[in-house]
Amino acid sequence: MKKTITITAPEGKVINFNEANGTVIFEDEPKSVIERILNFEDVLKEHKIEPTDFLKSIESLSSDEVAYRKLKLIVSAFNEGWTPDWTNGKWDKYVAYFTMGGSSGVDFSYCACADWYSVSFVGSRLVFKSSDLAKHVANLFIEDFRDFLTTNIE
C-alpha cells in the first residue's frame, strides 16, 4: 500500500531525493548581494581573499590608496561580475555622489546617484550596474568613500 505524507519544505530547492529511505536534501536559495554583503569582511569573502592577506597587501600604502583598493573590491563584489561597457551609450552606469561640508569633509554624507553614459566624466572602476546598488553601497560604506575622497595624500 502506498502512503502519502505532506510536509512543509524549507525554503530552497530539492537537490537530491533518495526514494529508498525518503531522505530529501535541500539547497538554500541564493541570497541577493545586498543580503550577502553586510561589511568589508563579506566583500573579502566574495572575492575569496583572506583578511590577513588583504592587510599585508596594504600595509605600506597611504590611507587614500587603502580606501581606493577597498572601494574597487566593494564595487566589484556588488556588481557581481558586471563591468561597464563604455562603448555602449545606451547602457546606463551609476555613480554615487556625496555632499561634503567644509574643507576637511566634515558633514560628509551620501547625496544622490546619477546615471552616466559612454561620455562619462567618472572613473570607470567605481560605477554600478543599478541605481539601487549605488545608493546602498554609498550608505553602507560611506566611511570608505570619505577616506578615498577627502584624505590628504600622505
Side-chain angles (χ1 to χ4, degrees), residues 40-55 57 73:
F40 188 69
E41 289 75 27
D42 293 337
V43 169
L44 292 176
K45 193 182 305 178
E46 284 285 314
H47 287 289
K48 297 176 175 55
I49 298 172
E50 289 295 323
T52 53
D53 293 339
F54 179 76
L55 290 173
S57 75
L73 289 170

Side-chain angles (χ1 to χ4, degrees), residues 41 69 120:
E41 289 75 27
R69 291 257 178 115
S120 175

Side-chain angles (χ1 to χ4, degrees), residues 16-143:
N16 189 324
F17 173 65
N18 183 326
E19 287 188 37
N21 64 17
T23 303
V24 180
I25 299 173
F26 291 88
E27 183 176 79
D28 290 338
E29 289 290 333
K31 293 180 181 177
S32 75
V33 69
I34 289 174
E35 294 172 309
R36 284 193 321 270
I37 301 176
L38 305 176
N39 52 47
F40 188 69
E41 289 75 27
D42 293 337
V43 169
L44 292 176
K45 193 182 305 178
E46 284 285 314
H47 287 289
K48 297 176 175 55
I49 298 172
E50 289 295 323
T52 53
D53 293 339
F54 179 76
L55 290 173
K56 283 181 189 175
S57 75
I58 62 169
E59 63 188 9
S60 65
L61 300 178
S62 63
S63 57
D64 61 309
E65 291 171 341
V66 170
Y68 184 49
R69 291 257 178 115
K70 289 176 75 176
L71 287 173
K72 287 193 295 184
L73 289 170
I74 290 165
V75 171
S76 171
F78 275 90
N79 280 331
E80 300 177 295
W82 174 88
T83 55
D85 178 356
W86 293 99
T87 64
N88 184 347
K90 295 181 182 177
W91 191 0
D92 292 347
K93 301 129 186 103
Y94 298 86
V95 64
Y97 274 87
F98 298 88
T99 300
M100 293 187 262
S103 61
S104 65
V106 177
D107 298 328
F108 188 85
S109 64
Y110 169 74
C111 176
C113 173
D115 61 334
W116 295 88
Y117 304 95
S118 59
V119 292
S120 175
F121 295 102
V122 300
S124 62
R125 287 182 182 86
L126 301 180
V127 296
F128 295 89
K129 62 183 177 179
S130 75
S131 174
D132 289 341
L133 280 180
K135 291 174 191 174
H136 177 76
V137 171
N139 286 303
L140 185 61
F141 293 99
I142 194 161
E143 294 301 320

